[in-house]
Each structure stands twice: as C-alpha cells, then as structure tokens.
C-alpha cells in the first residue's frame, strides 16, 4: 500500500463549511465552578467547538480557579487591590474589561458569578454575556430561588440561561431546563437537582450558540433568519 492510500480522500476531509471555528469563551466565576468544569471536560474531550480562553474570579478562594489552572486555562483573580483592600465593583470592571479585551472572547459566561455588573460594563462588553440562573425566569430573579419556589408551592422549577443586560436577571431568556418539584424536596435537594440540570443545560446552550442555531446577537440577526426557529426560550425537559 502506498503512502497515498493512507491519506484521507477528499471525500472524507471536512469541507470548509464543516470546519467550525471554535467559539472563544471567557468565564466569570465566584465559587465552586462545577459548571465551568463541565465545559472544560467537553472542550478537552473535543466534544464541542469551543476554546475557553480565560477565567476571571472575583474571589481568591474560589475552587473554580484550581479547576481552570489544572486545565492550563489563564486565570485573572480580581478580588483585592494592591493595597489589600477588597476591590470595589468599578475597579473590578475596569480590570475585567482590560483582561477581556486581551483575551478577545466571542462569548462571556457568568457561571456562579455573584456580583452585579453595571450598565457601563454590560453595554460596552467586547462580547455578548450570558448568565446561568437557578430558576425559571422571569420567576424568582435574585437570590434564594429554591427556598422561594418551595415556599410558593411551585410544581415546576429549574434553571435558565439568559442574556445579561443592565437590569438584574431580566435579559432575553435563551434556554430553560425544567423539573418537577417533589413533595419531599428541601431547599438543598432542589438545589442539587437543579444543578444537575445546569450541567446539561449550559453545554447544550453553548453548543447551540457555537453552531449558530441560537443567535448570539438576536438584535443583529435578520428576523427572516430566526423566524423559522421556535420562539425563545427553548425549553428542555430534563427531569431526573
Ligand atoms: C449555580 O447553581 C448557578 O445557578 C448559580 O451559582 C451556581 C454556580 O455553581 N448562579 P458552580 O460554581 O458552577 O458550581
């Protein structure tokens, strides 16, 4: 057999259209980073056309930092100023903007990021920003979502991924994953069950964005291009 026979034929080679340029993603985190880990694993397995180009943490004790470092992903810790003072949001945003400008992401993902960003930051972001929220928006914006859903006696609960705007948890909801609330659910059990949904919803949503199925800039996308798609949010029934 000649060396030529070992070369893939032109039929087997991916066409230019099939070669998807990886979506460059930066994460903003504050804590454990289990959602970040799911995306690191998918990237390392070659399962998704993404490249995580950097992680910003506003806490120096966030476990997410270790996860990123173990995967050789650049990390910026923006928790304190040089004088040791806790960083105010304005200083954080100034440093974060400079860091993001250097990394040039196509998408910024807030996953467990616990600071509220100002309109100045969100309006001038170098890339669209999405946030993972542990409730079925527009219900239960803000904190303590599981406790509040239980107190109301909700039959359904879940998580949402939405575009970040200046108004807290109010931007366009792109996707949601739902579950049934069990009569025996506590706030902790619900939190664990919703987090299991998040670990599926985030990669699905990013894959749909990377493939162009979901528009990253809905405002810039010609309406005829999205008029044949289901009305957002896309709901995934991932009950467990
Ligand atoms: C998630 O439950 C998310 O909904 C909330 O913060 C949590 C982050 O978890 N905003 P992790 O840091 O990704 O483990």
């Amino acid at each position: 057999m000649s060396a030529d026979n070992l070369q893939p034929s032109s039929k087997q080679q991916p066409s230019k259209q099939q070669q998807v340029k990886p979506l460059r993603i930066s994460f903003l985190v504050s804590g454990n980073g289990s959602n970040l880990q799911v995306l690191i694993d998918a990237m390392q397995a070659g399962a998704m056309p993404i490249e995580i180009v950097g992680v910003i943490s506003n806490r120096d004790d966030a476990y997410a930092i270790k996860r990123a470092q173990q995967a050789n992903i650049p990390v910026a810790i923006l928790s304190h100023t040089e004088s040791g003072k806790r960083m105010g949001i304005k200083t954080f945003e100034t440093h974060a903007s400079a860091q993001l400008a250097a990394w040039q992401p196509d998408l910024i993902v807030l996953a467990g990021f616990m600071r509220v960003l100002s309109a100045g930051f969100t309006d001038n972001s170098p890339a669209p920003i999405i946030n993972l929220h542990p409730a079925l928006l527009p219900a239960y914006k803000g904190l303590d979502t599981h406790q509040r859903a239980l107190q109301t006696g909700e039959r359904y609960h879940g998580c949402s991924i939405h575009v970040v705007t200046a108004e807290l948890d109010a931007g366009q909801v792109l996707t949601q994953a739902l579950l049934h609330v069990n009569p025996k659910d506590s706030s902790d059990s619900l939190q664990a069950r919703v987090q299991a949904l998040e670990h599926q919803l985030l990669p699905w949503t990013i894959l749909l964005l990377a493939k162009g199925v979901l528009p990253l800039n809905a405002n810039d996308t010609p309406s005829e291009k999205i008029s044949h798609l289901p009305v957002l949010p896309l709901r995934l029934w991932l009950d467990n």
Side-chain angles (χ1 to χ4, degrees):
M1 187 184 279
S2 78
D4 283 352
N5 293 37
L6 297 174
Q7 299 295 322
S9 75
S10 59
K11 271 192 187 158
Q12 291 165 317
Q13 282 173 349
S15 72
K16 275 205 173 131
Q17 270 180 335
Q18 286 171 313
Q19 289 169 355
V20 186
K21 199 169 146 263
L23 189 76
R24 296 171 62 81
I25 305 175
S26 288
F27 277 80
L28 267 64
V29 296
S30 303
N32 180 20
S34 63
N35 285 284
L36 168 68
Q37 188 68 56
V38 170
L39 271 294
I40 290 174
D41 293 347
M43 176 180 73
Q44 289 180 335
M48 288 173 66
I50 59 167
E51 184 186 354
I52 303 174
V53 294
V55 173
I56 295 176
S57 175
N58 72 313
R59 293 187 57 127
D60 51 15
D61 58 353
Y63 188 65
I65 296 169
K66 284 207 175 67
R67 297 182 190 270
Q69 286 169 338
Q70 273 164 9
N72 291 319
I73 295 167
V75 176
I77 303 169
L78 305 178
S79 60
H80 291 79
T81 61
E82 271 173 26
S83 64
K85 253 180 62 186
R86 188 170 175 263
M87 220 178 251
I89 190 67
K90 282 228 163 89
T91 316
F92 172 86
E93 289 181 344
T94 303
H95 288 289
S97 294
Q99 188 58 76
L100 291 168
W103 285 336
Q104 298 195 330
D106 302 313
L107 177 69
I108 298 164
V109 178
L110 311 187
F113 179 67
M114 300 307 286
R115 293 203 80 161
V116 178
L117 297 166
S118 74
F121 185 87
T122 55
D123 292 349
N124 297 300
S125 172
I129 312 174
I130 59 171
N131 179 47
L132 177 59
H133 182 77
L136 296 174
L137 292 171
Y140 307 111
K141 295 174 181 171
L143 298 173
D144 302 324
T145 55
H146 310 305
Q147 186 63 38
R148 287 156 58 209
L150 282 177
Q151 275 164 0
T152 312
E154 297 288 358
R155 291 178 60 211
Y156 305 103
H157 188 47
C159 49
S160 306
I161 293 179
H162 67 95
V163 175
V164 174
T165 59
E167 201 182 332
L168 184 70
D169 298 332
Q172 167 75 59
V173 180
L174 298 172
T175 56
Q176 295 185 316
L178 293 80
L179 52 66
H180 273 118
V181 178
N182 294 331
K184 285 187 182 161
D185 265 321
S186 63
S187 179
D188 285 349
S189 72
L190 208 47
Q191 194 264 338
R193 293 177 64 217
V194 169
Q195 190 147 60
L197 296 192
E198 293 175 359
H199 294 164
Q200 298 181 70
L201 187 68
L202 188 60
W204 268 115
T205 306
I206 291 178
L207 186 62
L208 294 175
L209 289 168
K211 297 262 185 193
V213 176
L214 284 175
L216 257 179
N217 287 303
N219 293 340
D220 303 342
T221 308
S223 53
E224 70 271 15
K225 267 194 130 181
I226 46 177
S227 61
H228 61 285
L229 294 174
V231 175
L232 296 175
L234 217 54
R235 291 213 171 85
L236 305 183
W237 187 258
L238 298 171
D239 212 345
N240 46 4

